Structure formats: structure tokens, C-alpha cells
Amino acid sequence: MKYRRTPPSLTINRLARYLNYLTLLPAEETHVSSAQISKALGIKATQFRQDFHYFGGFGRPGLGYDRQLLIEVLERILGVDKPQGMVIIGVGHLGAALASYAYFERMNLRLLGLFDNNAKLVGLSIRGIPILHPDSLPKFVQTNDVRLGIITTPKESAQIICDSLVKCNVKGIWNFTPIQLNVPAGFVVRNEQPALGLLALTFQLNELEHIGDHKKGARKGYSFD
């Protein structure tokens, strides 16, 4: 599959939403249409087809898509056609919740290790995965195929942990701390910062309420996924 050019991040986000939707469909639904996906996700059918044009396009409009083939193509595009090993550093409330999120496995994302410097947590386990001290991270990465590191530590230690992951050559870093993390060329970091999403949501809510006060029913609800 040849890429025409690097797609924008919004396209990649939509591809992930397509894959998530398709994997959650009942097994008996073997075919889907762009109109069906459009209605379910609130995305124009033309947008759905355009997103795949970045990757050469496939399928014929009007005939629908083989669901399993679509899943396989999306998995290849998003890089989860093969298992991706990951670790979580910071097993507080958020880290523990992510560790317990079994749906990751449906996306071929395999949690391999958990790390925390809290002596009360080291030695415990979540879903059979023991919690180790961060000092053992380099050796663990050496002996396991770890491609992704998830950071849910306090902000004061986040960049230190990030640097440690970079030193271990863990190429992808998912950051849930409230600070922006920096990585050198050749590495990728996604700064999730859930609080910012919540602030955006409160803005959207206030906008809807403001519109409702001035124009009753003039505008439908909207989503900024």
C-alpha cells in the first residue's frame, strides 16, 4: 500500500475511530458501507473515502466494504497488525486504571510491564503483571520487545522517566502528566493531558448553553472528537 503523502493528525484520529467502531460491531455484520460508518460516527461519507485516498484507496463506492478486510487494512496503517509491547510507569489511580483496561489487547497493544517507585506497590500485581521498581526498567526493556511507554507519574518526575525511556530506545511515549515532554528526533511523544480536554468540553458546554439562551433550538449539539 503506497502512501500519497503524510496524512494530517485529524485523519489518523479518524482512522483510529473507524477501527474501534469496526471491532465493536457484532460478528454477523460482515460488510459495512461508508454511509453506515458516517452515520454511526458523525463523519461525512465523502470524508471517510477521502481519508483512505492518502493510502491509495480501495473498495468501490456503493458496494460496501468487507469488514474484516477493512479492519486488516486499518491495523496495517495504524501499525497494530502485529503486537505492540508497552509498559506503564506510575501505577497510581490513573496508571492502575489503564493497566486494568483489557480493551487494549483487542487493538494488539500488549501490556508487558508495570513500574512504580512506591515501596508499598512494588511486588503487587495487576492482571497478573507484577509491579517493578523503575530502576529495573532498562534491563526489562532489553529483554522484552517494548515499543511504547505510558507515563502516569507525578509531573516532577515525568521528563526524567521520559529521558529514561528514550535512553532505553523506547520509540513511542504516551504522556498523561500535565506537562509537555520533549523527545529527540526519531522518537514520538503524545501529550494527552486529560484536563485540557475537560476544559475544552466545558467551553463547548457553555457555548451550547449560550446559544440555547438566545436562539431556542437554533443549533444542534456538536462534537469535537
Side-chain angles (χ1 to χ4, degrees):
M1 183 177 293
K2 295 182 179 179
Y3 292 8
R4 294 185 176 184
R5 59 187 175 88
T6 301
S9 58
L10 286 177
T11 296
I12 298 302
N13 288 341
R14 284 193 297 269
L15 295 181
R17 292 179 65 194
Y18 301 153
L19 178 58
N20 183 61
Y21 170 73
L22 291 167
T23 59
L24 292 174
L25 286 176
E28 59 269 20
E29 292 197 39
T30 58
H31 286 76
V32 295
S33 66
S34 55
Q36 177 184 347
I37 295 174
S38 168
K39 182 178 180 181
L41 300 182
I43 296 170
K44 292 182 179 178
T46 52
Q47 180 68 71
F48 171 81
R49 291 190 290 269
Q50 181 181 335
D51 287 338
F52 281 99
H53 288 169
Y54 285 102
F55 308 94
F58 66 96
R60 287 180 289 176
L63 297 180
Y65 298 88
D66 181 291
R67 175 192 169 203
Q68 186 56 41
L69 175 61
L70 206 53
I71 288 174
E72 291 172 3
V73 169
L74 285 166
E75 287 178 339
R76 285 202 303 273
I77 292 173
L78 294 170
V80 292
D81 52 323
K82 298 177 182 177
Q84 303 291 313
M86 61 187 190
V87 295
I88 296 176
I89 303 95
V91 195
H93 294 303
L94 178 56
L98 290 172
S100 301
Y101 189 51
Y103 186 70
F104 283 137
E105 274 104 37
R106 293 189 63 174
M107 294 296 180
N108 239 350
L109 301 169
R110 309 296 185 188
L111 180 60
L112 303 177
L114 298 168
F115 298 85
D116 200 290
N117 62 5
N118 185 339
K120 294 181 179 179
L121 295 177
V122 173
L124 301 179
S125 64
I126 298 177
R127 291 202 294 143
I129 301 172
I131 300 173
L132 308 174
H133 193 278
D135 288 347
S136 63
L137 181 61
K139 184 177 180 180
F140 186 91
V141 172
Q142 260 188 347
T143 56
N144 293 274
D145 186 17
V146 178
R147 289 175 53 83
L148 303 166
I150 303 174
I151 300 176
T152 58
T153 63
K155 64 180 186 298
E156 293 79 11
S157 55
Q159 187 63 56
I160 296 172
I161 293 296
C162 179
D163 294 342
S164 178
L165 288 168
V166 168
K167 190 174 181 180
C168 294
N169 205 36
V170 175
K171 296 288 188 179
I173 297 170
W174 197 13
N175 170 35
F176 279 88
T177 73
I179 64 170
Q180 293 282 121
L181 297 182
N182 299 308
V183 295
F187 293 80
V188 179
V189 62
R190 181 180 178 100
N191 295 294
E192 201 64 40
Q193 300 179 336
L196 300 187
L198 187 57
L199 291 175
L201 178 60
T202 61
F203 167 79
Q204 295 158 17
L205 177 61
N206 290 338
E207 283 289 285
L208 283 175
E209 291 173 345
H210 177 73
I211 292 167
D213 288 342
H214 289 81
K215 298 180 180 179
K216 297 290 185 182
R219 184 172 176 179
K220 295 173 64 178
Y222 53 85
S223 170
F224 282 84
D225 293 337

